C-alpha cells in the first residue's frame, strides 16, 4: 500500500528556515507527481508545490521562498522553506498522484501523508 511519512516539522523563528521530508513507499516513486499541501489553523487546504520528473510548480504564496526536490534513490520528497513568516504556520502534508489525467496543482490528491506541524513564532 502507498505510505507517505512526513518529518522535519517544528518551531522556527520568523525569517528562519526549515526542511521537511516525506519518505515514500508502496509505489513506483519515479512514476508519480509528488507534492505538498498545507492547512493553517481554522483554514482550508492550500496547495503549495508539486514536482514531476524535471518539472516543478509553486503557489504564488511560496514562490521564491520554498524549493521542492526529490532524492529518487531514497524515495524521498523534500521541501526547503526559507524566509518563514507566521502565515506559514500550518500542518504540512505530502501528497502523491499518478498523473494519468495530468498533474493536479490543487488540493485534490490520490494519497496523503499524516502531516507534520510547522509553527513560525518568536
Amino acid at each position: 500500500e502507498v505510505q507517505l511519512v512526513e518529518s522535519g516539522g517544528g518551531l522556527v523563528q520568523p525569517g528562519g528556515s526549515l526542511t521537511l521530508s516525506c519518505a515514500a513507499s508502496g509505489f513506483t516513486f519515479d512514476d508519480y507527481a509528488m507534492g505538498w499541501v498545507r492547512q493553517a489553523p481554522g483554514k482550508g487546504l492550500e496547495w503549495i508545490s508539486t514536482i514531476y520528473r524535471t518539472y516543478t510548480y509553486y503557489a504564488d504564496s511560496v514562490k521564491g521562498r520554498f524549493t521542492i526536490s526529490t532524492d529518487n534513490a531514497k524515495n524521498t520528497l523534500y521541501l526547503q522553506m526559507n524566509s518563514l513568516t507566521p502565515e506559514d504556520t500550518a500542518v504540512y502534508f505530502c501528497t502523491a498522484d499518478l498523473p494519468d489525467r495530468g498533474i493536479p496543482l490543487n488540493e485534490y490528491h490520490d494519497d496523503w501523508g499524516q502531516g507534520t506541524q510547522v509553527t513560525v513564532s518568536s
Side-chain angles (χ1 to χ4, degrees):
E1 77 288 359
V2 172
Q3 187 170 9
L4 305 171
V5 181
E6 300 97 332
S7 62
L11 177 64
V12 63
Q13 294 183 339
S17 298
L18 204 62
T19 299
L20 306 182
S21 299
C22 175
S25 61
F27 62 98
T28 303
F29 187 78
D30 295 354
D31 290 344
Y32 279 65
M34 304 296 300
W36 294 94
V37 173
R38 68 185 181 186
Q39 186 167 35
K43 302 294 182 63
L45 296 168
E46 178 190 16
W47 171 77
I48 298 169
S49 184
T50 295
I51 184 169
Y52 179 62
R53 297 180 177 175
T54 64
Y55 303 101
T56 58
Y57 310 87
Y58 297 93
D60 289 342
S61 58
V62 306
K63 193 174 299 180
R65 299 190 298 123
F66 292 10
T67 302
I68 191 169
S69 64
T70 59
D71 185 337
N72 290 3
K74 297 181 178 180
N75 288 351
T76 300
L77 171 73
Y78 301 98
L79 185 68
Q80 174 66 51
M81 305 184 294
N82 299 322
S83 302
L84 288 163
T85 76
E87 287 67 46
D88 295 313
T89 294
V91 176
Y92 285 71
F93 301 93
C94 65
T95 63
D97 301 272
L98 188 63
D100 52 332
R101 294 191 296 166
I103 302 170
L105 308 180
N106 51 54
E107 67 268 39
Y108 304 106
H109 299 277
D110 294 341
D111 297 284
W112 296 73
Q114 84 288 350
T116 186
Q117 176 70 50
V118 172
T119 302
V120 184
S121 176
S122 58

